[in-house]
């Protein structure tokens, strides 16, 4: 029985760095904590909407919302009063309306301590989290995107700015950038990647939570040169707005275009999202740009577009502890492209990309 099967995290398990933001990172962390307690969550800091946007605009602090969610995912009392309080959002119409307690706590501690990492460590200690939550940069960042389909001429791109604007655009996102263009990376985050046994990237909002990690020079260098096992988790479905109409392979193409020197060992894809045959071969060919093999496994919560924590933990456990893949040529679950495509970790095989 694997660690993921019995639900008990191994305190001496592998050191895992998980990168992302929002609900996608929350799903990954909820799964990984079943495998190990040695977790470093590296979180995007470009959110400019809601409570996070208001706090960064008024106080100049990194947007705390995604950081707060990562802390909640790793909290030992995940269903307890402290975590529920940190996640609690004020109602009403006053000055506090829409703010969550955790966002205010992180913003206040950052001002008092003068360091967002120290603030995160304090709240992490309060919640008794497994591991550590770190920002990808100690300063708030902005996302800028080239978007087509917003003008009468479909060949013309418009530059739009802001995480919310990019995530909800009715146009087609072609490329994203960070502002400032070469932001400093969080030293603790790069160190966590460098000493990790495994690095997990995704799932999540592709242009605003996943790709931004590869646009911070220090993080990108650490990701390129780390000796860790690298796994990319593909989304279960295209996201309305920024990736509307994207196929599974298109997600891989755009990531490779933003970071052509970045390689991973495996791309983990839900077996229900891509039917057997030619579509899987297309995904495998796209993964070849990342020098990766593709592994299909049933990791979805049945009937939803959410990852199931237990299934995802079991799949990651096998990948992290399995033999390193051989990379010459394009492969699907370790088999050459011309051969039958089979599920590396079991699971359903018939539902098209959702």
């Amino acid at each position: 029985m694997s660690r993921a099967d019995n639900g008990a995290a191994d305190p001496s398990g592998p050191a895992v760095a998980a990168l992302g933001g929002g609900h996608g990172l929350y799903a990954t962390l909820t799964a990984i904590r079943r495998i190990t307690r040695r977790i470093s969550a590296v979180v995007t800091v470009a959110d400019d909407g809601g409570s996070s946007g208001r706090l960064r605009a008024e106080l100049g602090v990194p947007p705390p919302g995604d950081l707060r969610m990562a802390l909640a995912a790793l909290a030992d009392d995940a269903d307890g009063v402290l975590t529920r309080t940190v996640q609690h959002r004020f109602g009403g119409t006053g000055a506090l309306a829409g703010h969550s307690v955790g966002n205010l706590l992180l913003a206040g501690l950052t001002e008092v301590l003068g360091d967002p990492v120290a603030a995160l460590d304090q709240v992490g200690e309060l919640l008794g989290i497994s591991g550590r939550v770190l920002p990808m940069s100690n300063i708030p960042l902005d996302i800028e995107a080239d978007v087509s389909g917003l003008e009468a001429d479909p060949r013309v791109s418009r530059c739009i700015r802001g995480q919310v604007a990019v995530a909800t655009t009715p146009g087609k996102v072609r490329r994203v950038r960070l502002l400032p263009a070469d932001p400093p990376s969080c030293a603790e985050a790069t160190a966590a990647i460098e000493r990790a046994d495994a690095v997990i990237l995704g799932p999540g909002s592709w242009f605003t939570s996943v790709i931004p990690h590869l646009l911070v020079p220090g993080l990108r260098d650490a990701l390129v040169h780390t000796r860790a096992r690298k796994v990319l988790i593909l989304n279960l479905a295209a996201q309305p707005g920024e990736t509307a109409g994207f196929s599974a392979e298109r997600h891989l193409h755009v990531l490779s275009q933003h970071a052509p020197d970045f390689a991973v060992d495996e791309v983990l894809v839900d077996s229900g999202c891509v039917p057997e045959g030619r579509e899987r071969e297309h995904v495998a060919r796209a993964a070849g740009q990342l020098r990766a093999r593709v592994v299909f496994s049933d990791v979805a919560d049945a009937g939803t577009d959410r990852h199931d924590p237990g299934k995802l933990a079991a799949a990651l456990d096998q990948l992290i502890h399995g033999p390193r893949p051989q990379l010459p040529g394009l492969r699907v679950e370790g088999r050459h492209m011309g051969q039958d495509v089979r599920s590396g970790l079991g699971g359903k095989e018939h539902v098209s990309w959702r």
Side-chain angles (χ1 to χ4, degrees):
M1 179 181 292
S2 71
R3 286 157 293 280
D5 291 332
N6 61 25
D10 184 353
S12 61
V16 177
L19 285 65
H23 294 284
L25 181 60
Y26 187 96
T28 302
L29 295 175
T30 305
I32 292 174
R33 62 176 295 172
R34 297 176 178 229
I35 302 171
T36 182
R37 293 183 61 86
R38 299 171 62 200
I39 305 169
S40 297
V42 181
V43 186
T44 52
V45 287
D47 189 6
D48 61 352
S51 170
S52 288
R54 291 160 59 190
L55 290 170
R56 69 174 282 177
E58 294 174 16
L59 305 176
V61 297
D66 287 356
L67 295 161
R68 182 201 79 244
M69 286 187 64
L71 287 165
L74 295 177
D76 272 356
D77 73 331
D79 295 320
V81 64
L82 281 178
T83 303
R84 285 189 284 115
T85 301
V86 164
Q87 292 281 66
H88 175 71
R89 195 173 297 274
F90 292 106
T93 57
L96 289 177
H99 282 303
S100 70
V101 173
N103 286 2
L104 296 172
L105 181 59
L106 284 170
L109 280 168
T110 298
E111 284 206 335
V112 169
L113 300 175
D115 180 6
V117 174
L120 287 160
D121 287 342
Q122 286 288 326
V123 180
E125 184 176 347
L126 175 68
L127 296 175
I129 71 169
S130 302
R132 200 175 188 194
V133 174
L134 301 163
M136 68 178 187
S137 177
N138 287 356
I139 63 172
L141 305 177
D142 282 307
I143 292 177
E144 187 177 77
D146 296 327
V147 180
S148 64
L150 300 177
E151 307 290 346
D153 187 342
R155 297 169 298 177
V156 175
S157 292
R158 182 193 300 177
C159 179
I160 63 174
R161 181 172 176 176
Q163 184 270 335
V164 173
V166 174
T168 59
T169 179
K172 293 183 179 180
V173 180
R174 300 300 186 184
R175 195 164 190 88
V176 290
R177 296 173 293 276
L178 290 178
L179 300 175
D182 295 307
S185 58
C186 170
E188 292 85 352
T190 57
I193 292 169
E194 289 166 354
R195 62 172 177 261
D197 298 308
V199 172
I200 313 296
L201 181 62
S205 299
W206 214 242
F207 285 109
T208 56
S209 291
V210 177
I211 289 176
H213 288 87
L214 298 166
L215 305 180
V216 178
L219 283 187
R220 182 178 63 244
D221 289 346
L223 287 166
V224 168
H225 295 108
T226 181
R227 297 175 64 87
R229 184 73 165 267
K230 287 179 280 189
V231 179
L232 174 67
I233 304 175
L234 208 61
N235 290 345
L236 294 175
Q239 181 178 355
E242 64 180 78
T243 58
F246 273 37
S247 64
E249 64 180 294
R250 179 64 179 156
H251 282 76
L252 299 178
H253 283 309
V254 296
L255 188 144
S256 180
Q257 289 166 0
H258 282 80
D261 56 346
F262 177 60
V264 299
D265 293 287
E266 285 100 359
V267 176
L268 179 60
V269 184
D270 179 63
S271 54
C273 290
V274 183
E276 291 188 75
R278 188 170 299 277
E279 286 192 43
R280 292 198 177 185
E281 293 182 1
H282 292 328
V283 174
R285 187 170 289 110
Q289 296 178 323
L290 300 168
R291 279 81 78 193
R293 69 166 178 146
V294 182
V295 174
F296 293 94
S297 179
D298 175 14
V299 291
D301 183 6
T304 75
D305 288 334
R306 297 187 301 271
H307 285 84
D308 179 272
K311 293 177 181 179
L312 185 57
L316 290 173
D317 193 41
Q318 288 190 42
L319 291 178
I320 292 170
H321 293 93
R324 204 89 177 220
Q326 300 297 314
L327 295 181
L330 295 178
R331 304 173 73 86
V332 180
E333 294 123 5
R335 300 178 68 87
H336 285 293
M337 288 280 294
Q339 297 177 307
D340 291 339
V341 178
R342 300 182 185 277
S343 174
L345 299 172
K348 55 192 178 184
E349 304 289 337
H350 61 282
V351 184
S352 184
W353 174 260
R354 294 196 292 273

